[in-house]
Amino acid sequence: MSAPASSLNSLNPAQQQAVRHVHSPLLVLAGAGSGKTLAITHKLAHLVNSLRYAPESIYAVTFTNKAAREMKERAARLMGETAGQLNVSTFHTLGLTFIRHEHKALQLKSSFTLLDEDDSLAMLRDAANLNQVDKQVLGGLRMLISNWKNALLTPEQALTAAKDAEETLAAKAYAAYQRTQRACHALDFDDLILLPAVCLREEDHIRNKWQHKVRYLLVDEYQDTNGAQYELVKLLAGDRAAFTVVGDDDQSIYAWRGANPENLNQLKADYPKLEVIKLEQNYRSFGRILKCANTLIANNPHMFEKSLWSQKQFGEPLRVMNCANDEDESERVVNEIMMRKMRGNLKWRQFAILFRGNHQARLFEKAMIERKVPYKLSGGQSFFGKAEIKDVLAYLRLLVNDEDDAAFLRIVNVPRREIGASTIEKLGAYAQRRHRTLLPACRELGLETELSGRPLTALRQFSDLIGRYGEACRKGDAIVAINELLRAVGYEGWLYEQASSPKVAQGRWQNVQELLSWLERSLKDGAKISFDEAVNKLLLRDMLERSAEDEQNADEVQMLTLHAAKGLEYPHVYMVGMEEELLPHRTSIEENSIEEERRLCYVGITRAQETLTFTLCTTRKRFGETIRCEPSRFLAELPVDDLKWDNAKNATAEEKEQVRNEKLAALKALLDD
């Protein structure tokens, strides 16, 4: 069935051109708010409905579950049930799917384990004998290893390329960490891209098989790809180069996690027939906001020139609110939000406060709590970060893979089984001598040379428990078996023992039940996946989302970092802390990486739909000291005629009266609440 002609007619000419172009590789340079998701989903429908591609041969990849979900939902509105056969996922879900199919070639058990960040750090510390290293240094080593994996470098190559003592130490730690990973059949987040890319590069028959499966490839947010992801795309696309990538070099803000906007430029070198189509019409923001954004980002060097424009009204000047200090800043912003909401009969969720770092949120939270303003602060503790969820996930991981040492160490004594540190140390020494992982070592008769009495009995009982319920999960109703396991170990009772109140314990137990509900839905979603696959799917959800889905329609002021705001939009935006050493950040000034900070500022500006207010302080408290602040250089790069500076010292009598009225209105709203 073809997509209705009116469907394509609803797109602008550039979007239509991007949808219809399939005869050569295509880069869609999509500016902020330019309707790229609309173009991608129409292209999915066009490929199937008009060009008769088999839907299962089309792969579309992006970076977040939310973006993948939105893509699927929009495609379903255009294609109906056929959209369910499309392969729409995140990069890492695609990598996990590949590894599941090719685990034998990768010399992995089908029940391999996915490590979260905490488990990865713990494994690195133990494998490289870094027990005396503090967490910050360990995190730095882990980041270096991640960068090497993203560049497809082996430990041997990393050691050869090491420039100093720190990198040499990290490369040796990388080698030890990788040996332990292989022994435990455990993968970290980076491996989900690294292993498929290396396998496709080195195994001709597997590469040919997957290039035959992937008849057309679409990649969203291409400017955020790292080296390994670029290689994966290139290997899947093959010589046919049947792909469309969508990106914007002006919105590349993740260099700290490996994103390389140069990948857009590399496409031109690797694919001489590459076509470039620009989406420059913005459907989000008023004209003056776009004018300021264009002027700012023009200060960066560009691979591709573009300029956003809009048919919306031009809009009011962008305000610059000059505050005495950070307390004055938070109070004035919150008071103004209250006043604007009341005056315009608006919703709280129409306002957003954007900042460079989470530490800036504290005073805004305080001001909103005092004034009873509902708010949501992104970046709080995630659902998967809760202790009870990590505990139950560790049980699930061990049921799937009894060689998962990180999971074993987390729950071998949760709830308490009188298995202390000295017992674990002796078990670890024995397992190391035997070249075994910890749980299998518990079952060996030879362990009796190291342990006896209650410690040995406790370890054997724990081992038997995991073995018995692991088998039950594979042969019967996994959810029933898991609930029986949690009853057998007394986990619910242990939560009540540990909690500060019965209400807290009840909430934690409800979290556990929610986790098991997700697992149950995964097992019953019609895909006929195994218990092992369902658990790994859940672990990947943990890695990708890290937080429970909140109601999108909750009426709350949104507070979030500029990084977290990418892809979102709000009618009224406050970008706070527009000062040197905040935005741009001090580290970027020292390292001369101002271009990425400018892109971050550009992303913030283009989140605003109708009004945008910048704030800066004369003084600010940092690390207990009061310091004088300098305005951000980015304010000086904006067109003077489009800014309205709100400086209390130089304000006219009329402007001072307006500020007084705003404060009175905010106070009245607070008293009326």
Side-chain angles (χ1 to χ4, degrees), residues 462-481:
F462 178 69
S463 172
D464 291 343
L465 187 83
I466 296 299
R468 184 165 68 252
Y469 283 103
E471 188 175 356
C473 286
R474 289 179 179 85
K475 290 186 175 179
D477 188 324
I479 303 302
V480 170

Side-chain angles (χ1 to χ4, degrees), residues 309-361:
W309 59 276
S310 174
Q311 291 183 337
K312 291 178 177 286
Q313 60 181 275
F314 194 55
E316 61 188 62
L318 281 58
R319 287 180 56 213
V320 184
M321 187 187 291
N322 206 333
C323 307
N325 52 48
D326 38 4
E327 288 192 3
D328 180 42
E329 176 187 50
S330 60
E331 289 174 2
R332 287 180 67 184
V333 168
V334 174
N335 285 344
E336 183 174 299
I337 288 174
M338 294 172 69
M339 180 273 298
R340 277 194 168 185
K341 177 186 182 296
M342 183 176 60
R343 188 176 62 193
N345 193 26
L346 304 173
K347 299 288 186 183
W348 294 116
R349 64 173 175 267
Q350 293 176 274
F351 298 89
I353 300 173
L354 309 183
F355 35 79
R356 179 62 177 82
N358 269 315
H359 66 279
Q360 294 172 254

Side-chain angles (χ1 to χ4, degrees), residues 406-610:
F408 176 91
L409 291 170
R410 181 173 183 90
I411 46 88
V412 67
N413 207 32
V414 176
R416 292 192 181 91
R417 300 182 180 89
E418 299 182 14
I419 300 173
S422 62
T423 300
I424 295 299
E425 188 176 342
K426 289 176 182 177
L427 172 65
Y430 173 79
Q432 191 169 15
R433 282 202 312 274
R434 294 280 297 151
H435 304 289
R436 302 300 302 273
T437 48
L438 297 175
L439 188 62
C442 293
R443 302 175 183 134
E444 293 195 354
L445 291 174
L447 184 59
E448 294 172 13
T449 62
E450 293 282 347
L451 292 166
S452 61
R454 294 188 68 176
L456 179 62
T457 301
L459 285 173
R460 292 265 167 84
Q461 287 175 342
F462 178 69
S463 172
D464 291 343
L465 187 83
I466 296 299
R468 184 165 68 252
Y469 283 103
E471 188 175 356
C473 286
R474 289 179 179 85
K475 290 186 175 179
D477 188 324
I479 303 302
V480 170
I482 294 164
N483 277 306
E484 286 180 1
L485 168 62
L486 294 178
R487 279 195 294 272
V489 302
Y491 190 77
E492 184 180 6
W494 186 77
L495 286 178
Y496 277 86
E497 289 175 18
Q498 299 297 309
S500 57
S501 70
K503 186 176 180 181
V504 170
Q506 185 180 14
R508 290 175 180 170
W509 183 244
Q510 286 175 347
N511 289 336
V512 171
Q513 295 307 305
E514 176 63 18
L515 180 76
L516 297 184
S517 294
W518 284 349
L519 181 61
E520 186 172 23
R521 287 196 293 272
S522 188
L523 286 165
K524 295 180 177 179
D525 69 357
K528 295 182 180 179
I529 64 174
S530 68
F531 170 67
D532 294 358
E533 291 172 330
V535 170
N536 272 329
K537 187 176 177 183
L538 193 62
L539 292 172
L540 185 61
R541 178 172 183 166
D542 163 18
M543 293 180 185
L544 289 170
E545 295 189 355
R546 291 290 174 190
S547 62
E549 293 287 326
D550 292 311
E551 287 295 326
Q552 295 299 310
N553 294 321
D555 194 20
E556 301 164 322
V557 175
Q558 303 297 302
M559 291 204 298
L560 62 169
T561 64
L562 289 162
H563 283 98
K566 187 163 177 287
L568 304 176
E569 56 189 48
Y570 305 96
H572 307 287
V573 169
Y574 293 80
M575 285 179 62
V576 300
M578 289 293 294
E579 300 148 23
E580 291 289 294
E581 299 194 359
L582 266 181
L583 185 68
H585 193 270
R586 179 191 301 177
T587 304
S588 72
I589 297 172
E590 292 171 351
E591 297 178 354
N592 196 27
S593 55
I594 298 298
E595 290 171 14
E596 173 133 343
E597 293 290 296
R598 188 176 285 111
R599 291 195 293 266
L600 194 57
C601 186
Y602 173 84
V603 165
I605 291 172
T606 53
R607 299 313 94 194
Q609 295 171 296
E610 299 174 18

